Amino acid sequence: MAAAQGYPLLCLENPLLDIQGVGDDDLLKQYDIKANDAILAEDKHMGLYEDLLQNRDAKLIAGGAAQNTARGAQYILPENSVVYIGCVGKDKYADILTDACKKAGVYTEYRVDDVQPTGKCGVVITGHNRSMVTHLAAANEYKPEHLQQPNVWSLVEKAQVYYVGGYHLTVSVPAILLLAEEAVSKNKTFIFSLSAPFIPQFFKDQLDSVVPYTDYLIGNETEALTYAENHGWGITDITEIAKKLATLPKKNAQRPRVAIVTQGTLPTVTAVAKADGSVEVKEYPVHEIAKEKINDTNGAGDAFAGGFTAGIVQGKTLDESVDLGQWLASLSIQELGPSYPFPKQTY
Ligand code: 26A
């Protein structure tokens, strides 16, 4: 049952089950994938999932980037703070996702597709790299009409902050724009992530239609570089790119645009576009952890976004929110996959 008073944070994207195993160069070569990448599966990749399960001792882990972010934000926020929306199938993979969210205290309002199976993401770990191959299946069947159902729309109306993963640009721009328009018209907060280099590269028009609505635009260094390259900016300096992202046209003039670029172990860069036309830039060193404590970095960016978003939901400053993001990312990379330690650690 949804909480009568609603959930302050509403997240939308693609619910996926991660099939994560350790690979090697031969496996990467066999499926023609890069060591560190995120792509949509083509026919040649379809054997990867069984291969990982049969031959690579793969684990099934709840995934889907924004679903990881939702679980991360709820890890920090008081009970009943987060609702997550996306489309799953009618199968045991959906049950695993529902269970994982329940355990994390995230309320799910899934659209359930009768035909397609729940989406999956093959994750091949090689050292500190991870290659993700996603077969969206049911996740691709999300429809804006689901969001408009009275019971679901009432959750939208009760939320104060929206978090949408950029990966959803491949699924339903109209659904994203419903949330974005609601945010602008009611002066609520709209947070969006670039998600992966292929988003600015191959979904540029879709991305350009959503960016004007963003109050917080989050990406990592490769996503920022790909954005700049595909928009013909001719700049490769991360701080300069962050500044330019912050000053892109914006629908809601009541809130400044903030661009946040993470860079692995290098400092996180933020740029805030001020009303007077100036841009304030800051750098935040990451929370370092010993190399031997790193389990895998899959989901580190989602965890950062989760901690950061939790800070924003709680009305914390940008400095505090970035620090919360970095803290949660440092916890997540010590776990297997996009997970958070239990018993819960406190910030
Ligand atoms: C549309 N695509 C490609 C995707 C994803 C995705 N989540 C949503 N849509 N491709 C990979 N992921 C998720 O990213 C997490 C790590 O950041 C994986 O499921 C993984 O949990």
Side-chain angles (χ1 to χ4, degrees), residues 260-262 266-270 282-286 304 322 326:
I260 303 109
V261 183
T262 61
L266 295 175
T268 302
V269 176
T270 63
K282 271 193 171 185
E283 285 195 7
Y284 305 82
V286 300
F304 173 85
V322 169
Q326 293 182 339

Side-chain angles (χ1 to χ4, degrees), residues 192-201 204 207-208 211 217-246 248 258-264 267-271:
F192 192 78
S193 75
L194 293 173
S195 291
F198 86 82
I199 296 293
Q201 198 176 0
K204 179 174 175 286
L207 179 58
D208 290 346
V211 164
L217 187 56
I218 305 179
N220 68 23
E221 72 280 42
T222 1
E223 293 150 13
L225 283 166
T226 314
Y227 187 104
E229 192 185 328
N230 280 273
H231 286 77
W233 286 357
I235 47 173
T236 52
D237 181 86
I238 293 297
T239 303
E240 290 307 313
I241 296 173
K243 279 166 90 172
K244 229 169 140 89
L245 287 172
L248 287 172
V258 184
I260 303 109
V261 183
T262 61
Q263 316 188 74
T268 302
V269 176
T270 63

Side-chain angles (χ1 to χ4, degrees), residues 13-18 20 38-41 61-68 71 84 120-121 123 130 132-136 139 166-168 170-171 195-196 198-199 297-302 337-338:
E13 207 209 40
N14 314 323
L16 303 174
L17 190 73
D18 289 355
Q20 176 172 329
I39 58 166
L40 291 168
I61 312 169
Q67 190 164 236
N68 302 335
R71 289 187 291 110
Y84 173 82
K120 57 196 177 192
C121 176
V123 184
R130 94 282 181 269
M132 302 194 288
V133 182
T134 294
H135 182 209
L136 281 169
Y167 283 128
H168 205 68
T170 73
V171 174
S195 291
F198 86 82
I199 296 293
T297 57
N298 184 26
D302 308 335

Side-chain angles (χ1 to χ4, degrees), residues 146-226:
H146 175 263
L147 213 46
Q148 288 169 311
Q149 286 172 18
N151 62 319
V152 185
W153 192 253
S154 118
L155 294 169
V156 173
E157 286 183 320
K158 286 172 184 162
Q160 293 305 314
V161 178
Y162 303 114
Y163 178 92
V164 180
Y167 283 128
H168 205 68
L169 290 173
T170 73
V171 174
S172 179
V173 175
I176 300 173
L177 290 177
L178 281 174
L179 296 181
E181 287 286 356
E182 171 74 6
V184 170
S185 66
K186 308 264 173 70
N187 191 23
K188 295 177 180 182
T189 305
F190 190 75
I191 310 178
F192 192 78
S193 75
L194 293 173
S195 291
F198 86 82
I199 296 293
Q201 198 176 0
F202 299 122
F203 292 84
K204 179 174 175 286
D205 292 347
Q206 293 90 330
L207 179 58
D208 290 346
S209 72
V210 171
V211 164
Y213 293 90
T214 58
D215 297 307
Y216 295 93
L217 187 56
I218 305 179
N220 68 23
E221 72 280 42
T222 1
E223 293 150 13
L225 283 166
T226 314

